Amino acid sequence: MRDLGAGFNYLIQGQRWVARHGKQYGFGLLPGLITLVLYVAALIALALYGEDFVSWATPFADHWTSPWQGVFRGLLTAVLFALALLLAVVTFTAVTLLVGQPFYESLSEKVDRDVSPDGTAPESGLPLRRELWISARDSLRIVVRALVWGVLLFALGFVPVVGQTVVPVVGFFVTGFFLTEELTAVALQRRRVELRARLALLRSRKMLVWGFGTPLGLAFLVPVVAVFLMPGAVAGATLMARDLLGEETGEPHTDQRDRGDQEDRELGATA
């Protein structure tokens, strides 16, 4: 249970870190805003044309008598939209991290330097193109795993009682796990930790992972909230990655913190 509280504490610490570094927070908002606009546009299009798509995809039901045709196609339309929402929640973090890779890499490095006893941050040494490819490849693998879980839980949702009580709770914990994997990947990829090793690392500290990812997943159900929490989530995940690897973490360096505040003041003065 101590790990559960520690995971939540990293989430809070990450939000506090970006609150002290306004410049990093502002840059960190951009990828989430871009992704949110794209997702909202896609969901609106699905809401407007989903019924037409279902009708096109089920020509065998054209001659069914009323009300069975309407009930059948209405149910399929509802299922299609529900799956789209699930896909949006599952992939929002992965897509945002991919869009904002340079922003979040920079933010994560600054967190590492700020709390590292020697003021340094690990670097992968890979070119940006290679890092983007690895990030996209690993994100796709995680999304596929998450979708398999999503389809399974969606099917179990039709089981009486269990489907309405146990399944939603399990779903939130599953979402929290994969969400944490995506967020910690920013810091762990810089340390050249491969996907399989990352998953094993997270499974070894599940309570820590759930304490961080499950409340964040609940908050991310509101897309606008996800945008504003994303920079702090990356910062908190970087702190948690250090814990998972047993790296020493100290208090933020005063000189670096003051330098960050000075940069923010200078930015405001030139604006």
Side-chain angles (χ1 to χ4, degrees):
M1 293 300 292
R2 182 178 299 177
D3 264 358
L4 197 65
F8 184 73
N9 189 44
Y10 282 128
L11 181 59
I12 300 301
Q13 287 183 42
Q15 302 303 323
R16 288 175 177 170
W17 192 92
V18 295
R20 295 195 305 267
H21 298 75
K23 181 180 178 181
Q24 298 301 317
Y25 181 65
F27 282 133
L29 289 177
L30 294 176
L33 289 171
I34 294 171
T35 307
L36 178 63
V37 170
L38 294 175
Y39 272 51
V40 169
L43 289 173
I44 290 175
L46 182 62
L48 293 174
Y49 303 107
E51 188 174 352
D52 293 338
F53 173 77
V54 169
S55 298
W56 171 82
T58 57
F60 56 86
D62 287 343
H63 304 293
W64 287 13
T65 59
S66 181
W68 304 115
Q69 182 192 84
V71 170
F72 174 70
R73 285 178 170 169
L75 178 62
L76 284 183
T77 302
V79 170
L80 178 64
F81 195 79
L83 287 175
L85 283 175
L86 174 65
L87 183 63
V89 171
V90 169
T91 62
F92 182 85
T93 301
V95 174
T96 302
L97 289 174
L98 187 60
V99 171
Q101 179 79 7
F103 297 97
Y104 295 134
E105 282 284 351
S106 175
L107 189 154
S108 179
E109 285 183 15
K110 284 181 170 59
V111 173
D112 266 324
R113 291 194 183 97
D114 198 30
V115 301
S116 174
D118 58 3
T120 62
E123 296 181 3
S124 67
L126 298 174
L128 178 60
R129 180 181 300 180
R130 178 64 177 169
E131 288 185 349
L132 289 173
W133 161 248
I134 293 174
S135 178
R137 180 197 64 190
D138 290 350
S139 293
L140 180 60
R141 291 174 178 175
I142 290 299
V143 167
V144 169
R145 285 177 166 87
L147 284 178
V148 170
W149 271 97
V151 172
L152 176 62
L153 292 172
F154 182 79
L156 291 175
F158 292 99
V159 177
V161 182
V162 174
Q164 293 73 49
T165 55
V166 177
V167 171
V169 174
V170 173
F172 283 124
F173 279 100
V174 170
T175 301
F177 181 89
F178 287 118
L179 187 60
T180 303
E181 196 288 325
E182 288 286 353
L183 291 166
T184 53
V186 178
L188 293 176
Q189 282 178 2
R190 279 192 293 108
R191 293 161 167 81
R192 307 292 289 270
V193 181
E194 297 293 334
L195 176 60
R196 184 174 298 180
R198 294 202 304 267
L199 290 173
L201 195 62
L202 294 174
R203 291 188 187 113
S204 69
R205 301 281 300 278
K206 288 181 181 178
M207 297 297 285
L208 183 71
V209 170
W210 288 335
F212 180 90
T214 302
L216 188 62
L218 288 169
F220 273 23
L221 290 176
V222 183
V224 177
V225 173
V227 171
F228 288 100
L229 291 183
M230 194 68 176
V234 173
T238 301
L239 295 173
M240 191 171 71
R242 297 180 64 89
D243 184 355
L244 288 168
L245 294 173
E247 296 179 3
E248 186 179 354
T249 298
E251 291 297 321
H253 297 296
T254 303
D255 58 337
Q256 293 186 10
R257 183 174 58 209
D258 292 343
R259 192 184 310 127
D261 293 339
Q262 182 179 356
E263 289 177 356
D264 292 342
R265 288 194 297 269
E266 292 174 353
L267 182 66
T270 57

